[in-house]
Amino acid sequence: MGFHDRDLSILFVDNRKIKKMNNEFFGRDRPTNVISFSYLDGMPGEVLGDIIISVERADEEARMAEVVIYDRLFALIVHGLVHIMGYDHEAGPGESRKMKYREKKLIAFLNRHDGYQGLVHEEG
């Protein structure tokens, strides 16, 4: 993706904390699954962005989708990263399709990557 010289910050929180952040930054008084902040305009070596994920919400969503929480967390990290790259599903149907496409491509790439092999979690 061309960001090898940038760091990514990921913070895992509970529903109470992400609700507070969602209200403070976006005026939405409810918990959400992921919030991201992009710093793409920063200098090389600096942080690319921040991703904040509610583990509590991710667990709820994983149970509803009948997937393991690690898979849901992985998907939320990718979702947050795609937001950092400038995609926004709330900008309309066209942007939403572009964002979903980018997420699928990134997940497929990561699933094929040698560094991810052996990290795939199965419910047992």
Side-chain angles (χ1 to χ4, degrees):
M1 293 176 27
F3 300 123
H4 62 277
D5 59 348
R6 304 289 290 274
D7 293 325
L8 180 65
S9 167
I10 302 173
L11 176 65
F12 296 101
V13 299
D14 61 13
N15 279 348
R16 185 180 61 78
K17 179 66 174 176
I18 207 160
K19 177 182 176 183
K20 182 178 178 184
M21 296 177 84
N22 202 18
N23 190 25
E24 181 179 341
F25 293 106
F26 303 104
R28 299 176 185 149
D29 193 28
R30 59 181 165 76
T32 188
N33 52 12
V34 63
I35 295 174
S36 56
F37 299 97
S38 178
Y39 313 125
L40 277 177
D41 296 333
M43 301 296 290
E46 292 183 345
V47 176
L48 175 66
D50 295 321
I51 298 174
I52 300 100
I53 295 174
S54 169
V55 175
E56 196 175 346
R57 183 71 180 264
D59 186 51
E60 294 165 6
E61 293 172 354
R63 290 175 193 270
M64 288 184 347
E66 298 180 347
V67 299
V68 294
I69 189 169
Y70 302 108
D71 289 340
R72 185 63 190 139
L73 289 170
F74 180 74
L76 289 173
I77 290 169
V78 168
H79 183 79
L81 183 57
V82 172
H83 267 302
I84 286 171
M85 293 169 52
Y87 293 87
D88 184 4
H89 53 84
E90 294 180 4
E95 264 308 293
S96 182
R97 279 190 302 277
K98 288 178 190 175
M99 186 167 180
K100 285 179 184 171
Y101 173 79
R102 180 57 55 201
E103 286 175 356
K104 286 180 183 179
K105 294 287 282 185
L106 187 52
I107 287 172
F109 171 78
L110 292 170
N111 280 329
R112 290 188 313 270
H113 193 275
D114 290 340
Y116 187 70
Q117 299 307 310
L119 297 178
V120 178
H121 296 90
E122 295 180 19
E123 194 136 17

